[in-house]
Amino acid sequence: MASRQSSFDKFLQFFSSLKCGLLLLGLLGMAMIAGTLILQRPMAQEGQIEQVYAPQIVRLLNAIGLFDVFHTWWFILLLGLLGANITLASIERFPQVWRLFVRPHFLADAAFVRALPFQREIPLGSHTSEEGMALAAQTLRNLGYPPWPSVLAKGTLYVEKHRLARLAPYVVHASLLIIFAGAILDGTHGYRGYVSLKPGMSTDVVEPLTMPGARRHLDFSLRCDAAGMDPYPDGSPRQYWSQLTVLENGREVEHKKIYVNDPLTYKGIRFFQANYSSTGSPRKLVMEANWLENGVQEHQVLTLAPGVPAPLNTQGATVELADFIPDYVLDGNQITSQSDDPRNPAIQLQVTRPGSTDTHAWILAKSPELNPPNDTGINIRFVSVEMEAMTGLQVAREPGQWLIWTGCLLLTLGLMMALYFSHIRVWGVAAVDRKGQPVLLLGGQPSKYRENFERKFHELTDKVAGALMQVPEEPGEDASAA
Amino acid sequence: MAKAITHTPERSQTNIANWILLIVSVAMFTVLAISVPHLIGEQGWFHGAQAGEKFLYVALIAYLGASVLYGSSVALRRVELFDGAVLLSRSGFLLHTLAILIRWSSSGHAPLSDIYEMVLVFSWAVVAAHTVAEWKLKLTFLGAITLPIAALALILMQVLPGEIRPLVPALQSTWLQIHVTLAMLSYAGFTISFAVALLYLVKDGVTSRSFLSWCAALAVGVYGTIVATCVNGSMALTMAAWDPVSHEKVMLAPRKALMVPLEALGWPFVIALVLAIATLALNLMATYSERPENWDKTARWAFLAAVAIQILAIVLLLVSVNGGSHYLAQYSQSFRVRLVDSPFLLAGVATVLFASIAWKVLDWKYDSIAGYLPSRDSLDDLIYKTVAISFPLLTFMIIAGAYWANRTWGSYWSWDPKEDWALITWVTYAGYLHMRLTRGWRGRRSAYFAIIGFGIVMFTFFGVTYLLPGLHAYA
């Protein structure tokens, strides 16, 4: 029973040790390196992994999860163990540091000061030890290093700076735990998904971002009123945007125009501008029509939308969009589209006249001289097209993010405290040197950066020595003291 | 008579210092004079963004001159050379700053958006950190390592694609500036710790043979990578074909560029690799041999031969690349190639050459250099201090990046390769700080750690960009 207890103790001791922590950091580091050198499923394209690696290797790496390192159980276990290691190590060491923090060791005697890494004996000369102490205290106070009055009354000069730096490592480690907690909360209660919307449409369904995943229904719906891309003068994209409206029970409760870098947040769910593309069909098409009517040249500008016939100023005729190919190419005798962008549109219009058969015209926007013969009797010219856009929104619910940002803030403060400040302490007591002469014995210790402290210590003690060397006001007393 | 004898060596030393000053000035003026027509060009000196690149070119010359002066002031222990080095490095820094400001004002955004601009700011941050350390801590030796690194970065920039491009939507954020500035500052800080760590090893008596082995190992790594990736079966060096009309590489398929073989150019790279491996092997023999001197001598010659072949390789490469287009029979068409498309090749070769020069200088004046350096303890302290300053900056950089990603990609952490490697760097230095603070790791172990850490930083900076592209595609 006893040995079992002790082996558990041993285990606990190892588990809370720095060695274990560094081992875990090393393992995590290696796993991460593997995760960047091997293709990862969430990042790879469909079928890319099977193309790059041999089938046996795919099977092997699949089995140990190396195609998705960052979501395997063992990677999460390593992170959990690291969290546990940090917690245990802090619990083990914190009480001692806390005791020292709230009740610092400020009383000293000569033996204590002589054991400090930096010391200096300053001859008291003609001063009594009280006078010397008071002079030294005054000098240090003037230099911005005030000794503690209550300790001074007990015969020890005690100066310290940046005691908080002692607690800083615990702040850092606690902040890491808070970040872990936030990440766990997001992993268990958060989700990420995707919504694509055409202007005018609304939805309350969020599609999963990765293929095996569940659709989710929001308890409100989201409508896209408009979406677009603002270009630079050279045509490259400057900004993508979507004008969004949140609807709850049919009521509009929030409007926001979102940009890349500036999402919409509603009820803890955030919508990001992630994608923008043309659907390949036009929203608004402007054409110019010219025809001869009873020997008179007629002219009309037509604004067309899919499914909405436009009346022609004559004979009760209407013009309708029959087909739109955004980026046409002739493939044999078939017309196909190379892309969904209106780079080289081909437009088929249908002209309906009451009492006669429908007539059709093909218009090639960029090369009208190649237009096939048209039997409508109307000469039609392309003016402009506005394409129907599809906006892709990334959806994220991250309930843990406030823990994450709190942790990050604490981490920032903690690291600055831990690495940019050193807890420095100086003690001073009255003592005698080897020759039996009375001296003020000063000693100091930093928590880190010995060289900086050494310089500071010399600077302070030089000033104190200078103050003690000054000639006393009444030379008569000097003689009587001697 | 006795007086005269004791004075002679000092006078000859002064003469050496003067000669070096003279040679460096003449060399710099010559290079400047040769470059003047190119610098003024057809459109005059001040012509938009190009003025920045010209300032940068002059800054590079100043940095190279400063590197030589810093190096020789350490090697020969001549203080008067140090003053000249400081003058050159400060003027180079001023020009470098001007180049950044000109690029900033002509592009309308802070120059932090692609790899060219990041190297521009990184090398600036290295010189800035060097200047602060030199001035605050009264260090006279740091420039011998930091200025060559800055010069190397500027040389690399001469071939990186430097045209100004408008900011893509995701980069239009204040967080870009915070994130990248913090990254460059922390990388510069780790560079300083690397420089001090190298000098610590010199002071600590690591033999010049060990440094030779490291240089040879670096050469094996670089040339091994080049031979494995760029040299084909018929010993031709292959480079991506460049289409000057579309300003793009000629692509056969997505992610598969058309490679143009440069006949026989693979040979010098293969020979350099073989010689570097031979150096390593000979050094190994020297370590276990009873008569190390002979092996040692042969190793040195092998390495010097490797260096000579490298210079030959780079000259042949430059001639071949600039010599016009290359006809490919299977496409019945000629193609051009550019060095810009192989930044890894050039950066690797330049790094090996710089390391070789540093080794040669060390080998030549080992005792003098070691004598010039301050005590081991203060160097050791300096390594720790620079890491302790840079580590929080690295942390803030990661936090700023996470916050920005959360606003842009909808997630604060995506396990993107760049993020992973930043975290690997973080874990490495976190380990270092723990060992140092709680285990009292000092001395050589600490120095080795700083060197390995710097290697990881450089991989995060360049390696990930070129080898493991992900979300951080822009840089």
Side-chain angles (χ1 to χ4, degrees), chain B residues 316-339:
Chain B
L316 287 176
L317 183 65
L318 282 172
V319 169
S320 174
V321 167
N322 293 324
S325 49
H326 303 265
Y327 183 74
L328 288 191
Q330 77 229 61
Y331 299 96
S332 339
Q333 203 181 334
S334 290
F335 294 96
R336 297 190 71 88
V337 292
R338 303 189 311 164
L339 271 184

mmCIF file of all heavy atoms in Angstrom, chain B residues 316-339:
data_model
loop_
_atom_site.group_PDB
_atom_site.id
_atom_site.type_symbol
_atom_site.label_atom_id
_atom_site.label_comp_id
_atom_site.label_asym_id
_atom_site.label_seq_id
_atom_site.Cartn_x
_atom_site.Cartn_y
_atom_site.Cartn_z
ATOM 1 N N LEU B 316 28.917 31.673 -63.618
ATOM 2 C CA LEU B 316 28.366 30.993 -64.795
ATOM 3 C C LEU B 316 26.856 31.138 -64.840
ATOM 4 O O LEU B 316 26.270 31.363 -65.906
ATOM 5 C CB LEU B 316 28.739 29.506 -64.768
ATOM 6 C CG LEU B 316 30.198 29.187 -65.069
ATOM 7 C CD1 LEU B 316 30.462 27.698 -64.923
ATOM 8 C CD2 LEU B 316 30.554 29.640 -66.488
ATOM 9 N N LEU B 317 26.232 31.028 -63.652
ATOM 10 C CA LEU B 317 24.775 31.129 -63.595
ATOM 11 C C LEU B 317 24.328 32.514 -64.042
ATOM 12 O O LEU B 317 23.403 32.658 -64.852
ATOM 13 C CB LEU B 317 24.316 30.848 -62.163
ATOM 14 C CG LEU B 317 22.813 30.852 -61.933
ATOM 15 C CD1 LEU B 317 22.172 29.720 -62.698
ATOM 16 C CD2 LEU B 317 22.492 30.720 -60.461
ATOM 17 N N LEU B 318 25.014 33.552 -63.523
ATOM 18 C CA LEU B 318 24.647 34.919 -63.883
ATOM 19 C C LEU B 318 24.794 35.134 -65.378
ATOM 20 O O LEU B 318 23.913 35.704 -66.031
ATOM 21 C CB LEU B 318 25.527 35.913 -63.123
ATOM 22 C CG LEU B 318 25.131 36.144 -61.665
ATOM 23 C CD1 LEU B 318 26.174 36.987 -60.954
ATOM 24 C CD2 LEU B 318 23.771 36.819 -61.589
ATOM 25 N N VAL B 319 25.924 34.626 -65.935
ATOM 26 C CA VAL B 319 26.157 34.790 -67.366
ATOM 27 C C VAL B 319 25.052 34.098 -68.148
ATOM 28 O O VAL B 319 24.463 34.654 -69.078
ATOM 29 C CB VAL B 319 27.537 34.211 -67.750
ATOM 30 C CG1 VAL B 319 27.676 34.119 -69.267
ATOM 31 C CG2 VAL B 319 28.646 35.069 -67.155
ATOM 32 N N SER B 320 24.728 32.874 -67.728
ATOM 33 C CA SER B 320 23.744 32.088 -68.462
ATOM 34 C C SER B 320 22.348 32.706 -68.372
ATOM 35 O O SER B 320 21.609 32.737 -69.358
ATOM 36 C CB SER B 320 23.740 30.667 -67.904
ATOM 37 O OG SER B 320 22.715 29.935 -68.483
ATOM 38 N N VAL B 321 21.997 33.210 -67.192
ATOM 39 C CA VAL B 321 20.653 33.779 -67.012
ATOM 40 C C VAL B 321 20.515 35.078 -67.791
ATOM 41 O O VAL B 321 19.493 35.337 -68.430
ATOM 42 C CB VAL B 321 20.364 34.004 -65.509
ATOM 43 C CG1 VAL B 321 19.140 34.879 -65.330
ATOM 44 C CG2 VAL B 321 20.152 32.679 -64.819
ATOM 45 N N ASN B 322 21.571 35.911 -67.758
ATOM 46 C CA ASN B 322 21.487 37.195 -68.444
ATOM 47 C C ASN B 322 21.822 37.095 -69.921
ATOM 48 O O ASN B 322 21.718 38.072 -70.652
ATOM 49 C CB ASN B 322 22.412 38.216 -67.778
ATOM 50 C CG ASN B 322 21.920 38.542 -66.382
ATOM 51 O OD1 ASN B 322 20.723 38.599 -66.146
ATOM 52 N ND2 ASN B 322 22.849 38.720 -65.457
ATOM 53 N N GLY B 323 22.252 35.904 -70.338
ATOM 54 C CA GLY B 323 22.744 35.762 -71.708
ATOM 55 C C GLY B 323 21.675 35.602 -72.766
ATOM 56 O O GLY B 323 21.988 35.291 -73.896
ATOM 57 N N GLY B 324 20.417 35.749 -72.410
ATOM 58 C CA GLY B 324 19.372 35.637 -73.425
ATOM 59 C C GLY B 324 18.505 34.420 -73.203
ATOM 60 O O GLY B 324 18.518 33.821 -72.128
ATOM 61 N N SER B 325 17.755 34.033 -74.240
ATOM 62 C CA SER B 325 16.763 32.994 -74.032
ATOM 63 C C SER B 325 17.329 31.621 -74.398
ATOM 64 O O SER B 325 18.364 31.495 -75.049
ATOM 65 C CB SER B 325 15.520 33.305 -74.850
ATOM 66 O OG SER B 325 15.910 33.598 -76.162
ATOM 67 N N HIS B 326 16.624 30.599 -73.934
ATOM 68 C CA HIS B 326 17.077 29.227 -74.132
ATOM 69 C C HIS B 326 16.064 28.484 -74.974
ATOM 70 O O HIS B 326 14.874 28.487 -74.657
ATOM 71 C CB HIS B 326 17.244 28.555 -72.773
ATOM 72 C CG HIS B 326 18.196 29.292 -71.891
ATOM 73 N ND1 HIS B 326 19.520 28.976 -71.778
ATOM 74 C CD2 HIS B 326 18.004 30.385 -71.109
ATOM 75 C CE1 HIS B 326 20.107 29.822 -70.961
ATOM 76 N NE2 HIS B 326 19.215 30.694 -70.539
ATOM 77 N N TYR B 327 16.569 27.833 -76.025
ATOM 78 C CA TYR B 327 15.675 27.179 -76.968
ATOM 79 C C TYR B 327 15.331 25.781 -76.464
ATOM 80 O O TYR B 327 16.203 25.013 -76.064
ATOM 81 C CB TYR B 327 16.353 27.096 -78.334
ATOM 82 C CG TYR B 327 15.464 26.488 -79.395
ATOM 83 C CD1 TYR B 327 14.408 27.231 -79.928
ATOM 84 C CD2 TYR B 327 15.666 25.181 -79.828
ATOM 85 C CE1 TYR B 327 13.585 26.674 -80.886
ATOM 86 C CE2 TYR B 327 14.838 24.627 -80.781
ATOM 87 C CZ TYR B 327 13.791 25.380 -81.311
ATOM 88 O OH TYR B 327 12.972 24.819 -82.257
ATOM 89 N N LEU B 328 14.042 25.471 -76.435
ATOM 90 C CA LEU B 328 13.617 24.129 -76.053
ATOM 91 C C LEU B 328 13.022 23.461 -77.286
ATOM 92 O O LEU B 328 12.017 23.912 -77.826
ATOM 93 C CB LEU B 328 12.558 24.186 -74.954
ATOM 94 C CG LEU B 328 13.025 24.603 -73.569
ATOM 95 C CD1 LEU B 328 11.929 24.350 -72.557
ATOM 96 C CD2 LEU B 328 14.291 23.852 -73.172
ATOM 97 N N ALA B 329 13.670 22.348 -77.717
ATOM 98 C CA ALA B 329 13.249 21.695 -78.959
ATOM 99 C C ALA B 329 11.839 21.147 -78.835
ATOM 100 O O ALA B 329 11.044 21.242 -79.771
ATOM 101 C CB ALA B 329 14.236 20.579 -79.313
ATOM 102 N N GLN B 330 11.487 20.598 -77.651
ATOM 103 C CA GLN B 330 10.180 19.933 -77.574
ATOM 104 C C GLN B 330 9.024 20.913 -77.673
ATOM 105 O O GLN B 330 7.902 20.531 -77.968
ATOM 106 C CB GLN B 330 10.087 19.079 -76.300
ATOM 107 C CG GLN B 330 9.842 19.857 -75.039
ATOM 108 C CD GLN B 330 10.818 19.448 -73.946
ATOM 109 O OE1 GLN B 330 12.014 19.594 -74.089
ATOM 110 N NE2 GLN B 330 10.307 18.925 -72.862
ATOM 111 N N TYR B 331 9.288 22.206 -77.405
ATOM 112 C CA TYR B 331 8.225 23.201 -77.563
ATOM 113 C C TYR B 331 8.484 24.093 -78.774
ATOM 114 O O TYR B 331 7.713 24.999 -79.054
ATOM 115 C CB TYR B 331 8.107 24.066 -76.311
ATOM 116 C CG TYR B 331 7.773 23.273 -75.081
ATOM 117 C CD1 TYR B 331 8.762 22.856 -74.220
ATOM 118 C CD2 TYR B 331 6.449 22.938 -74.792
ATOM 119 C CE1 TYR B 331 8.456 22.114 -73.085
ATOM 120 C CE2 TYR B 331 6.134 22.191 -73.672
ATOM 121 C CZ TYR B 331 7.144 21.778 -72.821
ATOM 122 O OH TYR B 331 6.828 21.050 -71.729
ATOM 123 N N SER B 332 9.601 23.861 -79.472
ATOM 124 C CA SER B 332 10.075 24.689 -80.585
ATOM 125 C C SER B 332 9.942 26.167 -80.255
ATOM 126 O O SER B 332 9.367 26.939 -81.016
ATOM 127 C CB SER B 332 9.307 24.414 -81.884
ATOM 128 O OG SER B 332 8.702 23.185 -81.857
ATOM 129 N N GLN B 333 10.431 26.520 -79.101
ATOM 130 C CA GLN B 333 10.251 27.897 -78.647
ATOM 131 C C GLN B 333 11.392 28.238 -77.694
ATOM 132 O O GLN B 333 11.966 27.354 -77.054
ATOM 133 C CB GLN B 333 8.913 27.989 -77.905
ATOM 134 C CG GLN B 333 8.327 29.376 -77.859
ATOM 135 C CD GLN B 333 7.032 29.381 -77.085
ATOM 136 O OE1 GLN B 333 6.336 28.379 -76.984
ATOM 137 N NE2 GLN B 333 6.706 30.512 -76.509
ATOM 138 N N SER B 334 11.716 29.514 -77.608
ATOM 139 C CA SER B 334 12.762 29.941 -76.675
ATOM 140 C C SER B 334 12.128 30.521 -75.422
ATOM 141 O O SER B 334 11.072 31.144 -75.486
ATOM 142 C CB SER B 334 13.645 30.999 -77.324
ATOM 143 O OG SER B 334 14.415 30.398 -78.327
ATOM 144 N N PHE B 335 12.797 30.275 -74.301
ATOM 145 C CA PHE B 335 12.278 30.795 -73.038
ATOM 146 C C PHE B 335 13.366 31.540 -72.295
ATOM 147 O O PHE B 335 14.544 31.220 -72.398
ATOM 148 C CB PHE B 335 11.783 29.644 -72.155
ATOM 149 C CG PHE B 335 10.596 28.938 -72.702
ATOM 150 C CD1 PHE B 335 10.754 27.765 -73.438
ATOM 151 C CD2 PHE B 335 9.313 29.431 -72.506
ATOM 152 C CE1 PHE B 335 9.664 27.104 -73.963
ATOM 153 C CE2 PHE B 335 8.219 28.769 -73.026
ATOM 154 C CZ PHE B 335 8.397 27.602 -73.745
ATOM 155 N N ARG B 336 12.941 32.528 -71.522
ATOM 156 C CA ARG B 336 13.882 33.232 -70.645
ATOM 157 C C ARG B 336 13.727 32.674 -69.238
ATOM 158 O O ARG B 336 12.690 32.134 -68.877
ATOM 159 C CB ARG B 336 13.562 34.722 -70.616
ATOM 160 C CG ARG B 336 13.701 35.420 -71.957
ATOM 161 C CD ARG B 336 13.605 36.914 -71.744
ATOM 162 N NE ARG B 336 14.784 37.422 -71.082
ATOM 163 C CZ ARG B 336 15.876 37.805 -71.747
ATOM 164 N NH1 ARG B 336 15.912 37.739 -73.044
ATOM 165 N NH2 ARG B 336 16.917 38.267 -71.082
ATOM 166 N N VAL B 337 14.784 32.837 -68.428
ATOM 167 C CA VAL B 337 14.674 32.496 -67.003
ATOM 168 C C VAL B 337 15.132 33.702 -66.202
ATOM 169 O O VAL B 337 15.848 34.578 -66.714
ATOM 170 C CB VAL B 337 15.535 31.267 -66.642
ATOM 171 C CG1 VAL B 337 14.992 30.029 -67.290
ATOM 172 C CG2 VAL B 337 16.980 31.488 -67.027
ATOM 173 N N ARG B 338 14.679 33.755 -64.960
ATOM 174 C CA ARG B 338 15.089 34.862 -64.091
ATOM 175 C C ARG B 338 15.592 34.309 -62.763
ATOM 176 O O ARG B 338 15.080 33.306 -62.261
ATOM 177 C CB ARG B 338 13.898 35.775 -63.785
ATOM 178 C CG ARG B 338 13.208 36.349 -64.976
ATOM 179 C CD ARG B 338 12.209 37.389 -64.525
ATOM 180 N NE ARG B 338 11.357 36.886 -63.457
ATOM 181 C CZ ARG B 338 10.613 37.679 -62.685
ATOM 182 N NH1 ARG B 338 10.636 38.977 -62.861
ATOM 183 N NH2 ARG B 338 9.847 37.161 -61.743
ATOM 184 N N LEU B 339 16.586 34.996 -62.188
ATOM 185 C CA LEU B 339 17.068 34.594 -60.868
ATOM 186 C C LEU B 339 15.981 34.801 -59.818
ATOM 187 O O LEU B 339 15.929 34.118 -58.810
ATOM 188 C CB LEU B 339 18.294 35.415 -60.487
ATOM 189 C CG LEU B 339 19.644 34.854 -60.913
ATOM 190 C CD1 LEU B 339 20.744 35.731 -60.372
ATOM 191 C CD2 LEU B 339 19.809 33.434 -60.436
#
